[in-house]
Amino acid sequence: MAERTIGWGPRSENRLIGSEVQRIDGVGKASGAAKYTADINTPGTLYAKLLTATIAAGKVTRLNVAPAEEMEGVHAVHVLNGEGAEIRYEGTLLAAVAAERPEIAEDAVRAIEVSYEPSEFFVDDDNLEAAEAAGRTKPQGENTQGDVEAALSAAKVVHKGYYGINTITHMCLEPHGSHCEFTGDEDLTVHLSTQNVSGTGGQFAGPLGIDESSVSIICNYIGGGFGSKFQAGEWGLACAQLAKKAGRPVRLMLDRSTELKIAGNRPSGFAEVTIAGDADGNITAWDSHHWGTSGINGSVVRLSLIPYVFEIENRNRKATGIVCNRGPNQAWRAPNHPQLSALTATAMDDLADKLGMDSYDLFKKNLDKTERPDVYAAEMEVGAKIIDWKAKWHPHGKGESRGGVKSGVGMALHTWGGRAHAAICQLKVHSDGTVESYGGSQDLGTGTKTIIAMTIAETFGIPMSKVKVHVGSNAYPKSGPSGGSTTVGGVSGPNRRASQEALWKIMDLVAAKYGVDADSVEAKDGYFRSGGKTICSWTQACRLIGPMPLEVQGTGPKDDGLTDQGVGGVQMADVSVDTETGIIRVNKFVCVQDCGLIIDLLTAKSQVLGGMIMGIAYALSEEQVMDNNTGRFINADLENYKLPRIGDVGELVAEMYQPDSEYDRGVIGLGEPPVISSGGALSNAVANAIGVRVPVLPMTPQRVLEALKGGQA
Amino acid sequence: MRDRKDQNESGSGFSRRDFLKGSSAAAAATAMATSATESPAQQSQSQGNVASAEARDVTLSINGQQHTLSLEPRVTLLDALRNDLNLTGAKDVCDTTTCGACTVLIDGKATYACARFAVECEGAEIQTVESLRNGSEVDEVIEGFVEHDAMQCGFCTPGFVMATRAFLNENPNASLEDIQKGLGGNICRCGTYHGITQCALQIAQKGGACSWLNERLVGDLVAKTA
Ligand code: FES
Ligand code: FES
């Protein structure tokens, strides 16, 4: 009966897929048993500390590491940027020291003699005029479609505004770093905090002059990456060099301040926008120039994505990058999207205000300019109900003031790809009925291991306890890096394919043994059945496999309907703003999100909630603050780099939009989308509350007060 | 197009120094009523003023077991736990007694292990997250974290588990508001606050019932102080 085609089963027959399943490594993580890279302490491990540049630009004129080398307990010193090296941003690594104890390594770092010849620097990324004057701008393209001038003169309302979003960092709680250990002559084992287990070995081999086949990469747990941990990093190579020199294992994790300065950030974006609409609220013209910095390479958020989600017929757009002496950027969860979403959705909301429209109606009116109007419309309806939009929205600033506290609602939309990355898995079914899956993937905390176990257990009709999932080693079949929401499709596809094929082989064995038609055999709840009759248990069937495990390889992605791409969602926020202190409270924050077939509803919701909280962070408090006088990153620590705490996030609702039409699309990634539209939604809610725009994110109390002052002037 | 500055002064109309001040206002808003106790250990260390001194024997009572280590006085409890005893559940995250990832219980009180020198902790009963599990038996707080998926990457999680355990010991009937204040001493980057809140609330609604492990610890403490 069961047709032998690859595919997901009927939704109503799933036992596990689509339900809320606890993560399989939850107890290990919560009890502290899970070993992260930062926790690796093999016998003889030395501790490494770093000397970093304290200037934003210039040259190293002297670097004398001899005093460090001579210290007792110091086993190796490695120079990364010595005399004559050019410094282009604060935090640049100069030297690394490995010592018997961390405090000795710190002493040794302090003993190194260093001097610099500072030179001109520039860090002021929102100041386009100053950047131009300093010769720091880089054109990043300009293009046009339709007739903007004509559309502007025909428009009912034209709005011009300035908007911005500052640079933020990844702030992974486990910093970037590794533990490196040579065994034998040149076999290197690297415990690496990485999103790219299968793809990093070569980055160590070349510079160290060893074979790629000699490098083992291991990452069983990673304490946050968010797009910043795809490379070995100069610190990773330095760790390996120290281990080689010392002939001992070395652990080198970046200190918090260096982590923030050099291990990745998300480019800023500032824009002057002109947006126009007709009397019905149709957006008829868009003209924008955005600028910002990705640091020293001077690029900016992508030109081709603005205006975000909405395709406007008459449109000019231009982008300018600014070369700043700031640490290099790295992909940050949904690269480009959060910035462009904020720049677009805020301008749209201001246009609605000028047209005297509810911004919900303006967004709705223009959905025909998006790729998935029906899905967005349905999601907006769901979101509006949850947040009680109709009751809460009022013309901007016209709500009631309760002792100076004013409330408002706002929304924004987002989109993402989420296609499956390339991956292979090796599936083993043992004769006692236990199953193993091997793949060189990594679980960033998204639940990768859990969804692999669910996929296999669902396919075989067995409990998850019978499935062991092995990821986190480059000795296993290769898997793509975990970035861009590609992993859930990347690993579930191959594991489903391999499990289905393995199941068919076992069914053949069962059919032959019990004399039934193989096509009539079904596997469910730990038993094989045929024609309504139970034939044997899963364990009995597996005994037919024999002493060698049954092994099947699964690959992907394939065009067989298991995975898809293209998702969207809407976020709606309800906030209160204290107009005396400028403090914003999130009352309620809703995300309605589609993502195709959901494997684990529990971890899927966690992704959405986590995205929303990161969204609250960059909308309200976190940013890289550069000092124009010194070129230094002055809040490079967790105390002054403000992240929300447990009482700062309000009531959160993650509503998964999952009609059958979504299930039928197959699996699509979810990591990026829910972090995208938070900035726009929260900014619009604040504008709705106080009647003026706080143009730049994060909307710190000071910026709120400045905006209120400006609005009254 | 109008000049950027007069469109909105808030964009850049104040200095960066002012801005940092603005950030501290945000801190006030976050109601950091941490339940953990701090000491200046780390501050002085991070300024690099703590000179080296001869190592000496330090005896620590951790999870009911005595350990004697040879440590310089400037070694923090966190480093001693992680590097000398391989108890790596407490994480090293912020270096500035801000995040709570290193939370342990000292004589039953939630404490940032990075804020204590190991030598200071002689004679105290130190409980790390590792004590909340015995094979397959785990403390109710761990169970609750797993049930509510109060973790993603998991790096902040052991610290949050300890903070939650200590908080519920002291506030068995905590309200939502109490929880939001009482667990304000810890930071999660992945955004797991919703699950943590649900977990703590559920346990509090049951009256913060103690697990066997916790009863044992409380028993030990009572015996010790008697
Ligand atoms: S590491 Fe101790 S409080 Fe952050
Ligand atoms: S779970 Fe990743 S930091 Fe909290």
Side-chain angles (χ1 to χ4, degrees), chain A residues 173, chain B residues 151-157 188-190 192:
Chain A
L173 289 203
Chain B
M151 71 193 82
Q152 288 190 35
C153 81
F155 209 68
C156 72
T157 312
C188 172
R189 178 49 153 168
C190 299
T192 60

Side-chain angles (χ1 to χ4, degrees), chain B residues 78 91-95 97-102 112 114:
Chain B
L78 180 61
K91 306 296 184 208
D92 180 2
V93 167
C94 71
D95 301 334
T97 64
T98 304
C99 76
C102 61
Y112 295 153
C114 70

Side-chain angles (χ1 to χ4, degrees), chain A residues 32-244:
Chain A
K35 291 284 182 190
Y36 295 75
T37 299
D39 300 331
I40 305 298
N41 273 332
T42 58
T45 293
L46 302 173
Y47 303 89
K49 297 282 173 183
L50 295 159
L51 177 71
T52 65
T54 53
I55 58 166
K59 257 199 173 69
V60 178
T61 49
R62 177 175 145 82
L63 187 81
N64 179 18
V65 297
E69 281 168 332
E70 286 155 14
M71 285 176 71
E72 201 186 317
V74 171
H75 289 260
V77 178
H78 176 70
V79 174
L80 293 101
N81 283 294
E83 246 163 64
E86 197 195 339
I87 304 297
R88 298 188 302 164
Y89 47 85
E90 184 206 6
T92 299
L93 303 184
L94 303 182
V97 175
E100 209 65 53
R101 300 197 60 93
E103 56 276 10
I104 297 175
E106 271 165 19
D107 289 344
V109 164
R110 277 193 292 270
I112 297 174
E113 295 158 8
V114 60
S115 41
Y116 311 96
E117 187 183 290
S119 60
E120 288 283 295
F121 60 84
F122 186 87
V123 294
D124 193 5
D125 61 333
D126 63 350
N127 197 338
L128 191 56
E129 287 148 41
E132 264 158 9
R136 292 292 192 131
T137 53
K138 267 189 173 178
Q140 299 287 328
E142 177 168 13
N143 58 51
T144 194
Q145 70 179 17
D147 188 340
V148 175
E149 287 312 313
L152 285 176
S153 40
K156 164 96 194 299
V157 161
V158 176
H159 167 75
K160 290 180 187 224
Y162 161 72
Y163 306 94
I165 174 165
N166 274 352
T167 297
I168 62 170
T169 73
H170 297 72
M171 187 61 98
C172 310
L173 289 203
E174 179 187 40
H176 289 65
S178 62
H179 177 282
C180 293
E181 181 162 11
F182 279 91
T183 49
D185 267 356
E186 55 169 39
D187 281 339
L188 173 63
T189 300
V190 185
H191 283 86
L192 185 66
S193 187
T194 184
Q195 300 176 241
N196 189 9
V197 164
S198 293
T200 336
Q203 297 174 29
F204 283 91
L208 282 150
I210 55 177
D211 296 337
E212 250 179 84
S213 55
S214 302
V215 184
S216 304
I217 304 286
I218 300 171
C219 179
N220 292 321
Y221 295 93
I222 167 175
F226 314 113
S228 66
K229 287 182 178 168
F230 295 116
Q231 317 292 335
E234 25 173 5
W235 45 83
L237 296 176
C239 183
Q241 298 283 11
L242 289 170
K244 195 174 179 181

Side-chain angles (χ1 to χ4, degrees), chain A residues 23 29 35-36 38-39 41 101 103 107 162 169-170 251 256 606-607 622-623 627 644-645 648, chain B residues 8 17-19 30 32 74-75 82-84 86 88 91 93 98 149 152-153 184 189-190 193:
Chain A
R23 60 181 73 220
K29 283 183 176 179
K35 291 284 182 190
Y36 295 75
D39 300 331
N41 273 332
R101 300 197 60 93
E103 56 276 10
D107 289 344
Y162 161 72
T169 73
H170 297 72
R251 190 172 81 209
R256 183 54 46 193
S606 288
Q607 277 302 294
E622 70 168 314
E623 67 173 320
D627 183 350
R645 290 175 186 257
D648 297 330
Chain B
N8 41 55
R17 294 281 175 203
D18 275 353
F19 187 70
T30 59
M32 269 182 276
R74 61 174 165 161
V75 174
R82 292 179 50 77
N83 299 337
D84 294 272
N86 211 20
T88 55
K91 306 296 184 208
V93 167
T98 304
D149 206 37
Q152 288 190 35
C153 81
R189 178 49 153 168
C190 299
Y193 296 143

